[in-house]
Amino acid sequence: KAGVTQTPRYLIKTRGQQVTLSCSPISGHRSVSWYQQTPGQGLQFLFEYFSETQRNKGNFPGRFSGRQFSNSRSEMNVSTLELGDSALYLCASSLRTGDGYTFGSGTRLTVV
Amino acid sequence: AQSVTQLGSHVSVSEGALVLLRCNYSSSVPPYLFWYVQYPNQGLQLLLKYTTGATLVKGINGFEAEFKKSETSFHLTKPSAHMSDAAEYFCAVSDLGYGNKLVFGAGTILRVKS
């Protein structure tokens, strides 16, 4: 059974640019969440999608957005990149609430 | 609001010794609790979870945790540490009232000495 796939694994962008990260959940999982991991702030929740609807959103500026498609694949977008957006972005999927998430290997974004 | 406190950002044990990683949580409703492990340059792997029922939960790789409501704790233990256990461990809480959102602790880096 394939796990959660995130692409790309590594990304280098320039300040002010925008970026789109992709996540393919485990087949059959309809809940997809995104987390940002940094050394200073740790793991912080970005948003959760379930059946194409954003069910929950973390405390991030509007530059961070996401969406989920009918096949449960998800993308997150960050516009007007700032140096502080450099982080490991983790996507996770879940079959049922309370199951716990299966995480992907993440996309490491570096903003220069 | 939910929160998780992991006592000790770094824990060092000898190979074969007991591993004890501490986690205390705050939640206004009965929580779901999780432990995850992260190896360098990888995502998080679920070790074990508590939802309802038996308060002693067994997970993968010989780890277990006990939910103690009176102490609001969910400490992770393993009787005998192995070199391969060296990693960062995260405790997380979800109260389901906020969808499937997880609130993570700051993490504990486990070092295993030979």
Side-chain angles (χ1 to χ4, degrees):
Chain A
K1 193 175 188 180
V4 177
T5 303
Q6 291 187 246
T7 56
R9 283 297 309 275
Y10 301 92
L11 207 49
I12 300 175
K13 288 288 188 179
T14 303
R15 193 170 45 182
Q17 287 186 312
Q18 75 164 16
V19 66
T20 299
L21 312 182
S22 180
C23 172
S24 294
I26 290 174
S27 178
H29 286 194
R30 292 193 293 166
S31 172
V32 174
S33 289
W34 290 86
Y35 290 81
Q36 181 196 64
Q37 186 177 25
T38 60
Q41 299 299 316
L43 282 153
Q44 292 188 288
F45 172 77
L46 280 157
F47 23 68
E48 181 204 1
Y49 288 88
F50 184 85
S51 294
E52 302 180 66
T53 300
Q54 188 180 87
R55 188 156 69 172
N56 207 348
K57 189 177 191 304
N59 188 26
F60 278 82
R63 300 185 297 108
F64 291 81
S65 63
R67 59 178 176 169
Q68 187 180 32
F69 302 96
S70 58
N71 62 359
S72 291
R73 192 177 69 84
S74 178
E75 289 180 347
M76 68 162 282
N77 183 277
V78 187
S79 62
T80 320
L81 284 165
E82 301 177 358
L83 296 178
D85 297 333
S86 294
L88 180 66
Y89 290 88
L90 293 164
C91 170
S93 72
S94 175
L95 179 61
R96 284 178 296 268
T97 297
D99 271 358
Y101 278 114
T102 299
F103 282 79
S105 297
T107 294
R108 184 163 297 281
L109 172 66
T110 302
V111 182
V112 297
Chain B
Q2 301 165 287
S3 66
V4 176
T5 301
Q6 292 184 238
L7 191 62
S9 59
H10 291 77
V11 170
S12 183
V13 301
S14 298
E15 192 173 20
L18 171 72
V19 175
L20 171 61
L21 304 182
R22 300 179 187 273
C23 172
N24 288 89
Y25 70 91
S26 171
S27 178
S28 58
V29 297
Y32 281 20
L33 294 159
F34 307 86
W35 274 100
Y36 284 87
V37 61
Q38 186 177 34
Y39 297 97
N41 297 317
Q42 294 188 26
L44 281 72
Q45 180 183 12
L46 180 64
L47 279 176
L48 48 81
K49 63 181 179 182
Y50 169 78
T51 54
T52 58
T55 56
L56 182 61
V57 180
K58 294 187 185 298
I60 62 172
N61 301 337
F63 285 94
E64 63 182 36
E66 186 171 10
F67 170 60
K68 291 188 177 180
K69 184 179 178 181
S70 61
E71 299 177 7
T72 61
S73 69
F74 191 57
H75 302 329
L76 182 70
T77 61
K78 181 174 181 178
S80 177
H82 191 272
M83 296 297 289
S84 61
D85 295 326
E88 188 162 17
Y89 292 80
F90 294 92
C91 181
V93 63
S94 171
D95 71 3
L96 306 184
Y98 295 93
N100 222 359
K101 170 186 173 182
L102 293 174
V103 174
F104 284 91
T108 298
I109 295 173
L110 176 66
R111 179 189 170 210
V112 181
K113 300 175 290 184
S114 59

